[in-house]
Amino acid sequence: MNKRNFQWRAQLNWLWLALGVAVLAGCSSSDSRYDIKDDVAPSTPISVDHIEGAQPKYEPYSLGGNKNYTLRGKSYTVVKDAEGFKESGQASWYGKKFHGHLTSNGEVYDMYSMSAAHKTLPLPSYVKVKNLDNGKETIVRVNDRGPFHDGRIIDLSYAAASKLDVIKTGTANVEIEVIIVEKPSSQHKLDQHPEYTIQVAASPHKDRIDELSKQLAEKLSVETFLTPVNSNYRLMLGPFKDYKQTQDVLEQVQKIGYPSAFVKKL
């Protein structure tokens, strides 16, 4: 590779790295990908009186935004089992600057939805938020990461912040509590296929990938299978119905030498 190509590849790699960090930073970022520099309320806000709190329902966790991460030199570990999770601290809010941009789990942020951002709760999660300063409370759906400021535990959407009277004050003392919704029994009966698999590797050499499949099955105590695609064979683990188990197995696979392994949702 000549010097010019090496420099071009280095610049391209740096661009992708910077883009990844910007997306992860979510509502805390101030880079130029947003239309305005500083976050503000909508210039002609619509009434949010008719907007009800988020309605908790069972949802499988998103494939995006649920991995442990490091931002600004600090590491964050995503909660795998949020049952009984409670936290007290300050709430802030985000609005027009981020409206229409992607959240950390790949959805589009709508400042008029009852949503929020949290640093470590699994995405999505439903959370009851109580404003300790005035006693008001509501329910939000967490689908983003943030806020990355000391003392702040949750970033509310404009609508949610309006419901709790946080817009004027900017921040408020709150208590949050995760609401767990179990998978409906009727849905258990309808789901004939598991939801997650893990792709470990792919190779055109069936004998080698088959041997690796046997080794991982024994080492990790999981089911394995091969999926032929064109001239390659993909080594898959699973299937798994439980997202937490899937993430646990994925971490084990990555630690023993397969960092590019990833989860596939069926």
Side-chain angles (χ1 to χ4, degrees), residues 6-262:
F6 178 80
Q7 292 175 334
W8 178 82
R9 287 179 177 273
Q11 291 173 347
L12 184 60
N13 289 337
W14 173 252
L15 176 61
W16 280 110
L17 176 61
L19 179 60
V21 171
V23 170
L24 180 61
C27 59
S28 70
S29 177
S30 59
D31 59 38
S32 59
R33 73 190 181 101
Y34 298 105
D35 300 326
I36 56 178
K37 181 179 180 182
D38 299 312
D39 198 11
V40 294
S43 52
T44 54
I46 64 173
S47 172
V48 298
D49 293 340
H50 66 287
I51 301 177
E52 298 181 352
Q55 300 297 311
K57 63 179 181 180
Y58 170 78
E59 290 186 67
Y61 293 146
S62 307
L63 292 182
N66 278 312
K67 290 185 177 180
N68 300 337
Y69 62 97
T70 299
L71 184 65
R72 300 174 183 169
K74 186 174 181 179
S75 297
Y76 298 90
T77 301
V78 175
V79 176
K80 292 182 179 178
D81 185 1
E83 186 170 0
F85 183 96
K86 292 184 179 180
E87 192 176 16
S88 297
Q90 281 198 323
S92 49
W93 63 275
Y94 62 127
K96 186 176 180 180
K97 176 178 179 179
F98 304 92
H99 186 69
H101 291 275
L102 293 181
T103 62
S104 296
N105 72 340
E107 298 176 356
V108 176
Y109 173 61
D110 178 1
M111 61 183 171
Y112 292 112
S113 67
M114 296 296 286
S115 64
H118 190 276
K119 291 185 282 289
T120 59
L121 282 177
L123 307 180
S125 291
Y126 288 90
V127 174
K128 181 173 71 174
V129 184
K130 182 175 182 179
N131 186 338
L132 299 178
D133 298 331
N134 59 22
K136 293 187 176 183
E137 60 182 51
T138 192
I139 297 175
V140 297
R141 180 175 178 271
V142 177
N143 65 348
D144 208 356
R145 292 289 174 224
F148 299 103
H149 298 278
D150 292 339
R152 299 183 187 180
I153 62 170
I154 194 167
D155 237 354
L156 303 168
S157 66
Y158 171 79
S162 297
K163 288 287 188 182
L164 296 174
D165 279 345
V166 183
I167 299 297
K168 292 181 180 179
T169 57
T171 60
N173 296 306
V174 299
E175 180 181 77
I176 67 174
E177 179 180 356
V178 170
I179 300 173
I180 299 294
V181 180
E182 297 294 336
K183 190 173 185 179
S185 57
S186 59
Q187 193 166 348
H188 277 294
K189 295 177 181 178
L190 291 174
D191 287 347
Q192 299 299 320
H193 299 285
E195 294 175 332
Y196 306 99
T197 58
I198 297 174
Q199 181 171 323
V200 178
S203 171
H205 306 290
K206 186 176 184 298
D207 55 338
R208 298 179 187 176
I209 204 80
D210 191 53
E211 180 60 26
L212 177 59
S213 174
K214 294 176 182 177
Q215 293 175 4
L216 290 182
E218 182 176 353
K219 187 177 184 66
L220 301 175
S221 299
V222 297
E223 295 292 326
T224 64
F225 62 96
L226 302 184
T227 301
V229 179
N230 297 326
S231 58
N232 283 325
Y233 294 89
R234 294 176 180 173
L235 171 54
M236 313 296 294
L237 307 184
F240 309 97
K241 276 188 174 293
D242 183 73
Y243 180 81
K244 181 179 181 299
Q245 180 191 11
T246 309
Q247 288 297 312
D248 288 342
V249 174
L250 177 64
E251 289 179 10
Q252 294 180 56
V253 171
Q254 292 174 336
K255 286 179 180 178
I256 63 176
Y258 301 91
S260 60
F262 62 95

